[in-house]
Amino acid sequence: MLILVIGQGAREHAITHTLQQDLNVEVICAPGNPGIAQIAKIASVDINDISAVVELAKKHNPDLVVIGPEAPLVAGLGDELRSAGFLVFGPSKAAAALEGSKAFAKEIMQAAGVPTADSKFCQTVPEARAALELFGAPYVVKDDGLAAGKGVVVTDDFDAAVAHAMVCIDSRDGGAVVIEEFLDGPEVSLFGVSDGTTIVPLTPAQDFKRVGDNDQGPNTGGMGAYSPLPWAPENFVAEVTKTILQPMIIEMNRRGTPFVGLLFAGLAVTSRGVRVIEFNARFGDPETQVVLARLNSSLSDLLMAASSGKLSSLPELQWKPESAVTVVMAAKGYPDSPVSGAAISGIDQAQNQGSLVYHAGTKINEADELLVNGGRVLSVTALGSDLAVARTHAYAGVERIRFDGEHHRSDIALKAALGEIRLGDHS
Ligand code: AMP
Ligand code: GLY
């Protein structure tokens, strides 16, 4: 079976690596990256040029296309590939709006009775100011559109909140901002794979959004993740599936825009119960690295079943009992202004001692050297008998790898490994 994976990050590296574990699966990744090129074929393409991607698919004629990033999904790549006759894992443009527009996601949640933060959608600065005063500090200010995980500001500073609201409103024609209630409690990323009517939850993970240890500094795309969550409430996954994932799938279906692909619920476990922070319409990065490391069933069977409306007949997914931890190694200046060009060494040594090293922002120059080429550079992933052991392995891999200006968090999965996460904490 030939599978075309669209994207170029550590997420797509992990997806490609996991698909390749299945017998009879061959992957082409477009455009891929230097790490993916070591394990699969790659093909160069601009993933935001929909017709170029459709042409590429026609040339290779894959049995399935898996779309990694949100931007092409929100732009309608899934629809165009389906019209051209391909089986696609990834929602239509209409369904991907659950990620593309926070206001739309709120409307669907309300219609589906899904618990989320109270919020106000504002198109002018006076409206935004009034909403900030209404909810009070800490202030939560979100760009309505796609912002690569960086459009949200959470702050106690009223002026900073107003300033971010102004940026969002001015960002483009029709710019708008969502102001909402602050949700206090540990965060969970739960993925559900859906064929439009059935949704199958994957194992939960926790992401680390802030750039620095102890959740200091600005938000990023994600600096690390772990799975499973020893502190999660009993029946957490079953409960969230029933109260959040399934109602969303039913509502999208009812509107004639079924969601086929990966529905990613970003959740806060608050003292008043689980609330949705946001939905994404694709695999999360870096959560995918730990979730797939623990998958003990065929990923290609799962994605095929979802793309062809057959999830209800898929055998139950199996998970490894081990824990997984991934640590993102970032470039100097990330997230504000990442600096590319530093030479990277030590990946072989990290791999030799058992780490999975997924590439994100890397490139190879004419002299065949591996260089930093983006903000999140590598994602170093390891399994262990428990979270403490998985952390030790992942950080041992990180210690082998070097590049100028490299920085990473040193506390990924630390509180969870020490049993220090209590429900009601903000982590
Ligand atoms: P989002 O892009 O919506 O996931 O937001 C990025 C991050 O901002 C989340 O992972 C949270 O850490 C934080 N955040 C977003 N919304 C809220 C909220 N209502 N209350 C508390 N933190 C939030
Ligand atoms: N790690 C969060 C995301 O993929 O959006």
Side-chain angles (χ1 to χ4, degrees):
M1 182 197 311
L2 181 65
I3 302 182
L4 174 60
V5 175
I6 303 297
Q8 57 196 343
R11 163 184 53 206
E12 287 76 17
H13 195 171
I15 291 171
T16 300
H17 170 81
T18 311
L19 287 171
Q20 301 264 42
Q21 314 285 305
D22 293 342
L23 295 175
N24 311 323
V25 170
E26 192 192 334
V27 176
I28 301 180
C29 185
N33 64 38
I36 297 173
Q38 292 175 343
I39 59 165
K41 285 190 197 143
I42 61 170
S44 90
V45 76
D46 172 359
I47 57 172
N48 295 313
D49 180 344
I50 291 184
S51 51
V53 178
V54 174
E55 280 316 303
L56 182 80
K58 285 182 177 159
K59 182 169 152 205
H60 294 283
N61 201 23
D63 301 286
L64 175 68
V65 185
V66 178
I67 304 174
E70 59 273 21
L73 288 165
V74 170
L77 178 59
D79 309 68
E80 293 300 322
L81 285 166
R82 286 192 182 93
S83 317
F86 295 103
L87 216 49
V88 179
F89 185 78
S92 65
K93 179 176 181 159
L98 282 180
E99 173 162 5
S101 164
K102 293 195 189 285
F104 175 73
K106 287 280 182 193
E107 182 204 322
I108 301 288
M109 282 187 259
Q110 204 161 31
V114 165
T116 183
D118 279 345
S119 66
K120 298 255 179 244
F121 176 80
C122 308
Q123 288 171 300
T124 68
V125 176
E127 275 179 280
R129 278 180 170 275
L132 289 167
E133 276 159 11
L134 175 72
F135 291 120
Y139 304 104
V140 181
V141 183
K142 303 186 172 190
D143 198 325
D144 178 50
L146 283 187
K150 292 169 219 150
V152 178
V153 165
V154 180
T155 176
D156 285 321
D157 178 343
F158 184 80
D159 295 336
V162 172
H164 186 60
M166 287 167 94
V167 170
C168 299
I169 288 168
D170 291 343
S171 59
R172 58 193 166 277
D173 283 352
V177 67
V178 177
I179 309 280
E180 68 181 34
E181 159 199 23
F182 179 77
L183 296 173
D184 200 8
E187 288 181 36
V188 178
S189 299
L190 184 67
F191 300 166
V193 168
S194 180
D195 62 5
T197 50
T198 298
I199 185 157
V200 174
L202 306 188
T203 192
Q206 190 177 46
D207 179 19
F208 291 73
K209 291 264 165 63
R210 302 288 187 119
V211 73
D213 282 2
N214 295 314
D215 297 324
Q216 299 301 305
N219 266 328
T220 68
M223 293 298 290
Y226 67 90
S227 172
L229 313 178
W231 50 268
E234 223 182 308
N235 297 326
F236 176 78
V237 171
E239 203 55 39
V240 172
T241 303
K242 196 168 102 200
T243 57
I244 294 173
L245 298 179
Q246 282 167 348
M248 292 299 287
I249 292 302
I250 291 168
E251 179 61 19
M252 292 302 283
N253 210 359
R254 194 185 67 75
R255 292 183 181 221
T257 52
F259 188 100
V260 176
L262 191 127
L263 184 62
F264 164 166
L267 306 166
V269 186
T270 77
S271 50
R272 292 172 297 139
V274 179
R275 299 276 184 278
V276 174
I277 294 178
E278 63 160 358
F279 283 107
N280 294 314
R282 38 89 198 164
F283 281 99
D285 188 346
E287 294 95 323
T288 298
Q289 288 84 307
V290 289
V291 168
L292 294 186
R294 297 191 54 237
L295 180 65
N296 217 1
S297 299
S298 158
L299 180 61
S300 59
D301 285 355
L302 173 66
L303 303 187
M304 265 297 192
S307 310
S308 52
K310 294 185 185 139
L311 269 185
S312 60
S313 50
L314 191 79
E316 197 183 331
L317 294 178
Q318 302 296 315
W319 299 97
K320 294 176 191 164
E322 286 99 331
S323 298
V325 170
T326 195
V327 179
V328 170
M329 300 181 75
K332 180 176 179 168
Y334 178 76
D336 297 330
S337 42
V339 180
S340 288
I344 304 169
S345 64
I347 291 182
D348 287 351
Q349 288 92 310
Q351 284 170 331
N352 288 341
Q353 52 105 64
S355 299
L356 293 161
V357 181
Y358 295 122
H359 289 228
T362 68
K363 71 169 177 198
I364 291 193
N365 69 5
E366 306 75 44
D368 219 22
E369 295 162 323
L370 188 69
L371 304 181
V372 169
N373 186 39
R376 292 192 291 176
V377 180
L378 299 166
S379 193
V380 181
T381 308
L383 285 167
S385 51
D386 61 21
L387 282 178
V389 177
R391 281 190 90 237
T392 305
H393 290 166
Y395 279 106
V398 168
E399 290 311 317
R400 301 293 165 115
I401 300 173
R402 301 256 184 273
F403 51 88
D404 271 357
E406 185 277 333
H407 62 101
H408 58 266
R409 280 184 65 155
S410 64
D411 64 347
I412 303 301
L414 181 60
K415 277 175 135 188
L418 294 174
E420 284 178 2
I421 298 189
R422 311 239 182 289
L423 300 181
D425 273 7
H426 185 64
S427 309

